[in-house]
Amino acid sequence: MPSESGLSRGTLGWARQCASPNFGVRPAGTAIDLIVIHSISLPPGVFGGDEIERLFTNRLDWDAHPYFQQIRGAEVSAHFLIRRDGSVVQFVNMDDRAWHAGASCWQGRENCNDHSVGIELEGLEGGLFEKAQYDSLTRLCTEIADRYPIAWVAGHEHIAPGRKRDPGPGFDWSRLQQSLGWAHACFPQQGDVTGSGGLAG
């Protein structure tokens, strides 16, 4: 049965389900204590299509747009996608390991896929995000933290500095912190690329 928060065995009841084959088993005994925020649009700057879902389910037509040749053959996923209108799609059960972070490190722990939940925001790297997305992200983070011992929230740019730049300067970290009411130490500090925060209150 779903919990009061809407989560049941790693599945979010109010999210549309679109199962991705791109996942694996988390290492035994791993504490899921990190939420990683990403941004994505396919093609870049184009919103509202089904290309992201096709990418995460290995059904993208690589020849449909010139940009797709740059990512041809990629097998990636995230646990969630938050669309511009705030609607949420779930691709991977949170108890499982989605393939969203790549080579990464946070709080001295490498391979962030092992211990994180990945959330993609539909948007352009460095661009602005919609109020509906922040509202859904706040609700989603709250419900994830109700189930797992979340201690930190970071961007892909923070766990893979120099390699990734999303969600970028258009993402309002202060807004998310204030809406969640979690301690500042749970979020990236200015210039923070290694992690120096603390547990959410």
Side-chain angles (χ1 to χ4, degrees):
M1 294 292 292
S3 68
E4 291 182 1
S5 69
L7 288 174
S8 177
R9 297 182 179 178
T11 298
L12 187 68
W14 51 276
R16 180 166 63 84
Q17 301 297 312
C18 181
S20 171
N22 302 329
F23 70 93
V25 177
R26 295 186 189 271
T30 298
I32 302 171
D33 56 11
L34 172 65
I35 294 172
V36 179
I37 308 298
H38 305 255
S39 64
I40 187 172
S41 57
L42 288 176
V46 177
F47 306 140
D50 66 354
E51 288 82 1
I52 298 171
E53 293 182 28
R54 287 184 173 275
L55 175 66
F56 288 171
T57 56
N58 300 340
R59 296 181 297 115
L60 185 64
D61 179 357
W62 306 113
D63 298 318
H65 189 277
Y67 173 77
F68 297 162
Q69 295 302 317
Q70 299 181 35
I71 58 173
R72 190 181 188 99
E75 294 185 349
V76 293
S77 63
H79 291 94
F80 297 100
L81 167 68
I82 302 179
R83 292 285 194 176
R84 302 295 287 182
D85 64 0
S87 60
V88 179
V89 184
Q90 182 168 11
F91 296 95
V92 176
N93 187 298
M94 284 182 286
D95 290 342
D96 292 320
R97 181 183 186 273
W99 301 346
H100 61 96
S104 52
C105 182
W106 190 249
Q107 295 291 321
R109 296 166 66 190
E110 298 185 351
N111 301 317
C112 292
N113 282 338
D114 290 347
H115 59 96
S116 67
V117 173
I119 302 174
E120 294 274 5
L121 300 177
E122 185 178 25
L124 188 62
E125 182 181 282
L128 300 178
F129 299 90
E130 301 291 339
K131 177 183 183 300
Q133 292 181 290
Y134 284 104
D135 291 345
S136 293
L137 180 59
T138 298
R139 180 182 178 188
L140 182 53
C141 288
T142 299
E143 297 191 10
I144 293 170
D146 283 344
R147 178 178 175 89
Y148 303 100
I150 299 300
W152 301 283
V153 184
H156 203 184
E157 61 194 298
H158 302 112
I159 67 170
R163 187 174 68 84
K164 294 295 181 178
R165 296 182 296 176
D166 60 304
F171 184 78
D172 192 338
W173 287 99
S174 294
R175 180 174 184 169
L176 180 62
Q177 187 273 326
Q178 291 171 12
S179 64
L180 284 170
W182 295 356
H184 286 281
C186 303
F187 300 87
Q189 309 303 307
Q190 186 172 0
D192 190 354
V193 296
T194 59
S196 58
L199 193 66

